[in-house]
């Protein structure tokens, strides 16, 4: 509820329509974030297989994730190249939003390196 208020109060105060001004930017960054998440999953499965952490067949752990990751990467590049059309906005602030997933990934790498890398064996079973 608090996040909703924080997001919508400035629009209400300025008389701007959140559906016209906020939704395109949020939908664009959400689409891009989901694509980068899928790409990260493809990469992580392949890397885990190459490190010997996953023992399933080569097709399931290396080749299929590589093929899928290539397709997702191509779509991600298309979305970034056409981000203005995806969001329907020519705002410089909206145009900078594709940097958010990159910054989040860099933050994750920094935190991971600072805390030390956890091994899959150290994760408790559910």
């Amino acid at each position: 509820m608090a996040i909703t208020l924080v997001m919508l109060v400035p629009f209400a105060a300025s008389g701007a329509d959140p559906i016209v001004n906020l939704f395109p930017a949020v939908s664009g960054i959400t689409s891009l974030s989901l694509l980068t998440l899928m790409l990260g999953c493809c990469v992580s499965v392949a890397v885990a297989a190459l490190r010997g952490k996953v023992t399933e067949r080569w097709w399931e752990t290396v080749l299929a994730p590589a093929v899928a990751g290539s397709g997702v990467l191509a779509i991600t590049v298309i979305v970034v190249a056409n981000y203005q059309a995806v969001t329907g906005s020519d705002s410089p602030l909206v145009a900078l939003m594709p940097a958010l997933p990159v910054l989040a990934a860099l933050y994750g790498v920094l935190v991971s390196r600072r805390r030390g890398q956890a091994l899959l064996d150290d994760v408790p079973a559910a």
Side-chain angles (χ1 to χ4, degrees):
M1 176 83 175
I3 293 174
T4 303
L5 288 174
V6 167
M7 295 297 294
L8 293 179
V9 165
F11 286 95
S14 67
D17 184 2
I19 299 298
V20 172
N21 299 308
L22 179 64
F23 181 73
V26 171
S27 64
I29 194 64
T30 301
S31 300
L32 193 56
S33 296
L34 287 172
L35 286 168
T36 56
L37 179 65
M38 289 188 286
L39 183 60
C41 290
C42 293
V43 170
S44 68
V45 169
V47 168
L50 294 173
R51 289 183 178 173
K53 300 290 183 183
V54 183
T55 58
E56 281 77 14
R57 295 182 302 198
W58 185 77
W59 160 253
E60 297 169 342
T61 58
V62 178
L63 188 58
V67 170
S70 298
V72 171
L73 179 61
I75 293 168
T76 304
V77 168
I78 291 169
V79 168
V80 170
N82 298 295
Y83 196 70
Q84 213 172 34
V86 170
T87 61
S89 173
D90 57 357
S91 165
L93 182 62
V94 174
L96 290 174
M97 287 185 123
L100 288 176
V102 174
L103 294 173
L106 290 174
Y107 176 75
V109 168
L110 290 174
V111 169
S112 169
R113 300 243 168 142
R114 191 174 296 154
R115 291 184 182 171
Q117 196 170 21
L119 297 174
L120 291 176
D121 299 333
D122 295 339
V123 178

